[in-house]
Amino acid sequence: MDESLVCGLIGTGIGKSLTPAMHEREGAAQGLRYVYRIVDIEALALTVDDLPRLVDTAADLGFRGLNITHPFKQSVIDVLDELSDDAAKLGAVNTVLFDQGKKIGHNTDWSGFGRSFELGLAGVRMDQVAQIGAGGAGAAVAYALASKGVRTLTVIDADPGRARSAARSLESMFPATEFAAAGPADIAGVLAAADGVVHATPVGMVAHPGVAFDPSLLRPQTWVAEVVYRPAKTELLIAAESRGCRTLSGTGMAVHQAADAFEIFTGRPADAIRMSAHMQELIGREDTTSLAGALS
Ligand code: NAD
């Protein structure tokens, strides 16, 4: 049997994350001795100041790598030796590989969304796309959409400054895409012309029920991609389906970001279909009333 592999996830409020189970089950299915630990900064009563020590300790203890989640995806960069091209452009890291004495940052949030999009919304029109939410997940999604050649991407956020800075930071990287920023008051006008909309705010999570915008604004020909994945079927997806829209659940992004991280850690491709089936099983099994703050 191969040597054992230890990886982990650093973040806050991640005690109920599904990521360890997904990684360990895939590792076992591939015959690896693969252990994936949770390092919950909140539960350990630590702060962001402890992050460099935790990352260095994991490297010293022989961890193969770490996933990094909210709220450390930007701050971890200061601790690293190298970044992948995409992580450097995004200014965010969710995967750290310890390799030959170096700590190398990657970002699989954008590649995970991109892969899920290719599989779930193949062939859709991408001339005019609206994105609601310009936070951490929104940055990765916008990067993936621009990489796919969206002609005009309008970023909408309750915080107009965030929408503007997300749009501005992508402009120089993707000259073929036109970026616009807008506020919630503009949603009706933007959706009237949109081929598709991606939702990337926390609204719709178990802890934040609801829909971030009025779904009656959706036209049947508009595709809808969700980033929230717990629950797997958000109120937005239910409303969009009932209006006849093509939809994409946030579970695909969650599975593919984990599959891409698995490959970085182990050097072996993950079986994303097997991981997806496992995730559906985990989500189906859980008590949705006890999920608050359980995301990774
Ligand atoms: P964040 O706090 O970094 O950003 C959220 C953004 O949404 C903020 O800019 C906020 O101003 C904006 N916002 C909130 N309510 C709004 C509204 N009603 N209208 C317009 N804008 C609004 O959060 P995040 O880290 O980007 O996470 C967002 C969601 O994405 C969470 O539910 C998270 O769990 C999910 N997520 C999913 C995956 C996945 O793999 N599927 C990965 C990362 C994050």
Side-chain angles (χ1 to χ4, degrees):
M1 191 179 246
D2 291 336
E3 61 173 338
S4 59
L5 277 173
V6 185
C7 294
L9 172 67
I10 296 184
T12 63
I14 52 174
K16 290 182 178 162
S17 169
L18 305 180
T19 303
M22 277 201 292
H23 276 259
E24 288 186 350
R25 168 89 73 102
E26 181 60 20
Q30 297 205 19
L32 299 173
R33 285 191 294 162
Y34 185 13
V35 175
Y36 191 106
R37 311 287 305 176
I38 288 263
V39 184
D40 188 335
I41 301 266
E42 191 176 72
L44 294 168
L46 300 175
T47 70
V48 67
D49 295 337
D50 296 291
L51 189 61
R53 180 177 64 79
L54 288 172
V55 173
D56 285 341
T57 302
D60 291 346
L61 288 173
F63 275 48
R64 185 72 179 129
L66 291 168
N67 282 128
I68 306 291
T69 190
H70 189 75
F72 305 120
K73 289 181 185 180
Q74 280 90 28
S75 47
V76 74
I77 288 176
D78 293 339
V79 183
L80 304 178
D81 301 306
E82 287 176 16
L83 294 178
S84 72
D85 202 29
D86 297 309
K89 286 183 181 153
L90 267 163
V93 161
N94 78 328
T95 303
V96 176
L97 178 70
F98 301 127
D99 191 26
Q100 299 179 6
K102 288 198 170 155
K103 292 165 279 188
I104 305 161
H106 296 261
N107 188 302
T108 68
D109 284 329
W110 85 272
S111 59
F113 177 80
R115 185 76 187 127
S116 170
F117 191 92
E118 279 159 27
L119 292 171
L121 287 174
V124 293
R125 282 180 69 94
M126 298 184 68
D127 286 345
Q128 305 274 340
V129 177
Q131 179 183 310
I132 324 285
V141 162
Y143 187 87
L145 290 169
S147 305
K148 295 195 174 303
V150 165
R151 201 135 60 91
T152 304
L153 180 63
T154 304
V155 182
I156 298 168
D157 197 284
D159 176 343
R162 271 196 163 191
R164 273 196 302 275
S165 74
R168 217 177 294 131
S169 70
L170 289 163
E171 260 162 11
S172 57
M173 289 182 234
F174 297 100
T177 299
E178 192 182 315
F179 295 92
D186 307 309
I187 284 182
V190 175
L191 289 187
D195 298 311
V197 55
V198 184
H199 171 252
T201 87
V203 180
M205 289 169 65
V206 174
H208 303 280
V211 184
F213 59 93
D214 178 359
S216 71
L217 296 170
L218 290 169
R219 299 171 301 142
Q221 64 267 42
T222 308
W223 53 262
V224 177
E226 175 66 284
V227 162
V228 173
Y229 69 102
R230 289 169 85 174
K233 197 63 105 38
T234 59
E235 287 179 51
L236 170 61
L237 290 179
I238 293 167
E241 279 172 18
S242 76
R243 298 184 69 74
C245 302
R246 235 179 120 178
T247 61
L248 180 71
S249 158
T251 55
M253 177 181 180
V255 167
H256 286 284
Q257 65 78 23
D260 289 355
F262 181 95
E263 182 164 352
I264 289 169
F265 292 149
T266 66
R268 300 166 176 229
D271 182 334
I273 294 174
R274 181 165 57 202
M275 286 179 94
S276 179
H278 184 213
M279 181 184 224
Q280 299 297 345
E281 184 192 311
L282 292 168
I283 289 182
R285 202 192 290 156
E286 64 193 2
D287 170 7
T288 52
T289 59
S290 65
L291 285 179
L295 282 172
S296 70

